[in-house]
Amino acid sequence: MGERPVIGITSYVEQVTRGDWAGQDSTVLPHAYVEHVERAGAIAVVLPPRLDADDALVAGLLARLDGVIIAGGADVEPSRYAAVPDSRVQSPRPDRDTFELAVARVTAQTRQPLLGICRGMQVMAVAAGGTLEQHVPDRVGHDAHSPTPGVHASHHVAPVDGTRLASILGTAVLDVPTYHHQAVRTHPGYAAAAWHEDGTLEAMEDTAYPFRLAVQWHPEAGTDTRLFDALVQACSVIQQRG
């Protein structure tokens, strides 16, 4: 058996209070991401964002990894896709935008397995020249995608038959953890892989790559481990071939 794959997971820099230390800038990530990656048989490495990241720096970093997860988080700054910000867009995180857009671009060159989760899916679309829907409730007329601040909700998604996502999760309608008010509008190079019943794109993929897939929901917040298993398996196959 080969060595366990090493999966990098992008993260946040946020002010954290712990003990006597108040408002300390900290690199943070919900530990559920790490737990899922480790349970699937890989080693998890947390990747802090860098405002000075360019493709060369990121390429050097990714050379040390077998795969990457672009994690969920705050909205992508609308200027990144040439849009004027809606008043409900969250405060920008330029360090995450810069770093994660570079991760999406570089993995397209290295062909390393990549899984985008919620914001991660949106980053992947923007890096490919796509655009985002800045406030989904304006179109759908409900808030089922994120009804309660700070709490994951659950809603249905329908995988598209014949996609890689369907080969992993099946074609039956799924209940998935959700927390988002934005969504991917256009996604050059990616095929739609799942939909919500209200017409919101819930997953996309590019099967020209060994594993390049993104979901709008939050699998790390649920008990279905199959997406993480598939990512780690894709990394293991590439290791064996290499």
Side-chain angles (χ1 to χ4, degrees):
M1 177 179 292
E3 295 182 352
R4 289 191 291 167
V6 179
I7 308 293
I9 312 169
T10 67
S11 63
Y12 317 58
V13 172
E14 301 289 349
Q15 290 194 342
V16 171
T17 297
R18 54 183 182 84
D20 294 331
W21 298 94
Q24 187 177 49
D25 285 347
S26 304
T27 300
V28 296
L29 177 77
H31 194 64
Y33 286 96
V34 174
E35 291 176 328
H36 276 291
V37 167
E38 292 180 340
R39 185 217 49 80
I43 296 169
V45 176
V46 176
L47 307 177
R50 293 188 58 154
L51 189 57
D52 66 344
D54 58 19
D55 289 11
L57 182 149
V58 169
L61 169 63
L62 296 188
R64 297 165 169 82
L65 304 173
D66 297 298
V68 187
I69 296 171
I70 303 180
D75 298 337
V76 177
E77 189 172 6
S79 66
R80 304 283 183 163
Y81 49 97
V84 175
D86 182 277
S87 61
R88 290 155 295 188
V89 171
Q90 296 163 342
S91 298
R93 302 294 197 278
D95 55 348
R96 286 200 73 183
D97 288 350
T98 298
F99 180 70
E100 292 175 351
L101 288 167
V103 168
R105 289 192 303 267
V106 172
T107 53
Q109 300 300 316
T110 64
R111 301 180 63 81
Q112 287 167 286
L114 176 65
L115 174 63
I117 293 177
C118 197
R119 168 191 161 89
M121 174 169 161
Q122 297 167 11
V123 167
M124 289 166 65
V126 171
T131 59
L132 305 182
E133 185 175 15
Q134 293 192 42
H135 195 62
V136 172
D138 286 348
R139 172 178 55 84
V140 301
H142 62 76
D143 61 0
H145 297 276
S146 182
T148 305
V151 178
H152 286 100
S154 177
H155 69 41
H156 293 154
V157 300
V160 175
D161 191 15
T163 59
R164 175 169 289 154
L165 182 76
S167 74
I168 298 167
L169 300 181
T171 56
V173 172
L174 303 169
D175 279 319
V176 298
T178 180
Y179 193 82
H180 67 100
H181 81 110
Q182 298 199 331
V184 171
R185 186 190 302 275
T186 62
H187 43 93
Y190 291 98
W195 297 94
H196 185 271
E197 58 200 23
D198 65 12
T200 300
L201 184 67
E202 288 284 340
M204 65 185 196
E205 64 184 39
D206 187 342
T207 55
Y209 291 81
F211 188 98
R212 193 170 181 84
L213 191 154
V215 296
Q216 187 59 68
W217 66 89
H218 281 272
E220 84 286 354
T223 58
D224 188 337
T225 64
R226 290 176 291 176
L227 284 170
F228 297 97
D229 292 338
L231 171 65
V232 172
Q233 177 61 27
C235 293
S236 297
V237 168
I238 291 172
Q239 273 189 338
Q240 293 164 11
R241 290 174 179 170

